[in-house]
Amino acid sequence: MSTHAARVAAPTRREQILREAARLFAERGFHGVGVDEIGAAVGISGPGLYRHFPGKDAMLAELLVGISERLLEGGRRRVAEDEARGGGSPEALLDALIEGHIDFALDDRPLITLHDRELDRLRDTDRKRVRRLQREYVEVWVGVVRALYPSLAENRARVTVHAVFGLLNSTPHLARPDALPGRAATAGLLHRLARGAFAAAETA
Amino acid sequence: MSTHAARVAAPTRREQILREAARLFAERGFHGVGVDEIGAAVGISGPGLYRHFPGKDAMLAELLVGISERLLEGGRRRVAEDEARGGGSPEALLDALIEGHIDFALDDRPLITLHDRELDRLRDTDRKRVRRLQREYVEVWVGVVRALYPSLAENRARVTVHAVFGLLNSTPHLARPDALPGRAATAGLLHRLARGAFAAAETA
DNA sequence: CCCTCAGGTTAACGAGCGCTAACGACCCTG
DNA sequence: CAGGGTCGTTAGCGCTCGTTAACCTGAGGG
């Protein structure tokens, strides 16, 4: 019942648990991983996890809410930065959004995988919260895309943004991640693919 | 033990079960659906399913192997048809591949969802088989793409094909499928997006 | 008319798993 | 050097869920 919990210094154990849980959930699915496995992955075993989380669901919830918030926050930050620069370069802004999303997809593969795979394992309240965050993130993109391509209708822009997310999030699904041509090259390729898709969306 | 099983007339019950199981698995995940629910969805209840399938795993396996085989077969058929026509139009061939895949993504959403979401719930032998079919399907696309864009290196072509699959398979993940601008328009839009991505991949 | 067999039914078992209970060791502070 | 808070441990409960067992029914066929 101790209020004012989260002090300052990062509870290393919590983060360690979250990281391992994300990896395991992404590999074998939320229901396919037992709490004993998660515990074993961080050196403690079984119910010791309950000193840090109220339950298994809470770990997944924190992961999904966290990634959704970080994605949305990053998108909004880039839009704000563009506006601070005068806001006249939708091209550069779209590039910044793409780059940020690619960083996420390449550096936090497990989270990206969980993000659109295990969403409905959440309790209603958490699921709605994550969905709302995701929707707002999409709307940030839709706004930027329509600023760059004003002739693109809104619902088509939304479908396009969804499709580009699918494109950018495709690398975690790759069977052998080592078959990629290097991080920078992969990022550059994905970036060009995304821009190509957006450009093709305009030519109605 | 009755050999020469699958006669001619479709075993309606089996197909009915498979269809409902696909829908439920896609909605709530393989582990999130109980056999009682599947049975209830087809009017029988619980263990009556075991008159048609040796187990729950077998349903998923049949679904995933089936879709993988149909995708690969469709791709190979289109390549063969192109070769029969003289084989000089990689553009038209790529368009045919894209169109076939879009048909799948739009008409068999549950299967497409399962296809890259519940793969690792299969037993080793089934999973390897599905993975091999998926790999061969990718290679069909890679061959066509490289025929159209010879300057595109093989590993980059493979990443691009994967990314385009992610793009084309994005619609089932859409929260509200009714927000789509109509089937034909959606198919056309996705087609253009895919072509735009491929075109962007070439300009190394 | 019986026999078979496909296709159901309900009851129940057994394993897995999330979670709680009860307890212990360490560290810090007064 | 007590005493409490943190962070573990192991034992075990209770429930879910896939699967099996045993039984039933109705439709052909000889």
Side-chain angles (χ1 to χ4, degrees):
Chain A
M1 210 60 71
S2 71
T3 329
H4 55 67
R7 199 66 61 87
V8 144
T12 304
R13 247 309 149 66
R14 265 186 78 90
E15 293 177 349
Q16 194 184 2
I17 292 170
L18 283 176
R19 183 167 44 243
E20 293 302 307
R23 185 179 56 82
L24 289 168
F25 289 161
E27 281 176 7
R28 292 205 280 287
F30 178 69
H31 288 296
V33 178
V35 290
D36 291 357
E37 285 179 270
I38 303 173
V42 299
I44 74 182
S45 236
L49 297 171
Y50 287 77
R51 298 287 163 195
H52 305 273
F53 294 92
K56 193 184 163 194
D57 298 347
M59 302 180 204
L60 183 64
E62 190 157 330
L63 286 171
L64 293 189
V65 170
I67 185 182
S68 303
E69 280 177 344
R70 276 154 63 201
L71 277 172
L72 175 58
E73 192 273 333
R76 283 186 172 158
R77 194 189 68 238
R78 288 180 173 86
V79 171
E81 286 170 1
D82 179 80
E83 284 174 356
R85 279 192 306 267
S89 56
E91 290 232 14
L93 178 50
L94 182 58
D95 280 332
L97 285 184
I98 294 173
E99 194 177 323
H101 195 101
I102 288 177
D103 286 344
F104 237 107
L106 293 184
D107 297 337
D108 292 298
R109 290 165 176 246
L111 287 181
I112 281 286
T113 301
L114 291 181
H115 178 254
D116 63 11
R117 189 174 288 196
E118 308 281 354
L119 178 59
D120 7 309
R121 277 70 175 174
L122 257 51
R123 282 193 315 272
D124 262 30
T125 161
D126 292 322
R127 190 174 60 248
K128 282 178 181 170
R129 185 172 172 201
V130 171
R131 272 214 216 282
R132 189 170 52 82
L133 290 167
Q134 289 181 346
R135 209 158 37 230
E136 291 179 37
Y137 183 57
V138 170
E139 292 313 310
V140 168
W141 279 66
V142 167
V144 174
V145 168
R146 294 197 71 207
L148 182 56
Y149 302 118
S151 68
L152 189 58
E154 185 173 334
N155 59 348
R156 298 171 71 87
R158 196 169 289 113
V159 172
T160 302
V161 167
H162 259 282
V164 169
F165 284 172
L167 185 152
L168 295 178
N169 295 345
S170 64
T171 43
H173 302 330
L174 236 54
R176 300 167 297 182
D178 50 309
L180 292 177
R183 202 214 119 110
T186 303
L189 177 56
L190 288 176
H191 198 128
R192 262 198 305 281
L193 297 180
R195 287 304 302 261
F198 280 127
E202 190 203 18
T203 65
Chain B
M1 211 59 73
S2 69
T3 328
H4 54 67
R7 196 67 60 86
V8 144
T12 304
R13 244 314 147 62
R14 264 186 77 91
E15 292 177 349
Q16 196 184 1
I17 292 171
L18 284 176
R19 184 167 44 242
E20 293 302 307
R23 184 179 57 82
L24 289 169
F25 289 161
E27 281 176 7
R28 292 205 280 285
F30 178 68
H31 289 295
V33 179
V35 290
D36 290 357
E37 284 180 90
I38 303 173
V42 299
I44 75 182
S45 234
L49 297 170
Y50 287 75
R51 297 288 164 196
H52 305 274
F53 293 93
K56 193 185 165 192
D57 298 347
M59 302 181 205
L60 183 64
E62 190 159 327
L63 286 171
L64 292 188
V65 171
I67 185 183
S68 302
E69 280 175 344
R70 277 155 63 201
L71 278 172
L72 175 58
E73 192 273 335
R76 283 186 172 156
R77 196 190 67 239
R78 288 181 173 86
V79 171
E81 287 170 0
D82 179 81
E83 284 173 357
R85 280 194 305 269
S89 55
E91 289 231 13
L93 178 50
L94 183 57
D95 280 331
L97 285 183
I98 293 172
E99 195 178 322
H101 194 100
I102 288 177
D103 286 345
F104 237 106
L106 293 184
D107 298 336
D108 291 299
R109 290 166 178 245
L111 287 180
I112 280 286
T113 301
L114 290 181
H115 177 256
D116 64 9
R117 191 174 288 198
E118 308 281 353
L119 177 60
D120 9 306
R121 278 72 177 171
L122 259 50
R123 284 194 313 272
D124 262 31
T125 160
D126 291 322
R127 190 175 60 247
K128 282 178 181 169
R129 187 173 171 202
V130 172
R131 272 214 215 279
R132 190 169 52 80
L133 290 167
Q134 289 181 346
R135 209 158 37 228
E136 290 178 38
Y137 183 58
V138 170
E139 292 313 309
V140 168
W141 279 66
V142 167
V144 174
V145 168
R146 294 197 71 206
L148 182 56
Y149 301 118
S151 68
L152 189 58
E154 185 172 334
N155 59 348
R156 298 170 71 86
R158 194 169 291 113
V159 171
T160 302
V161 167
H162 259 281
V164 169
F165 284 173
L167 185 153
L168 295 178
N169 295 345
S170 65
T171 44
H173 302 330
L174 235 54
R176 302 166 296 180
D178 51 308
L180 292 176
R183 201 215 118 106
T186 303
L189 176 56
L190 289 176
H191 198 129
R192 260 198 308 282
L193 297 181
R195 287 303 302 262
F198 280 128
E202 191 204 19
T203 64

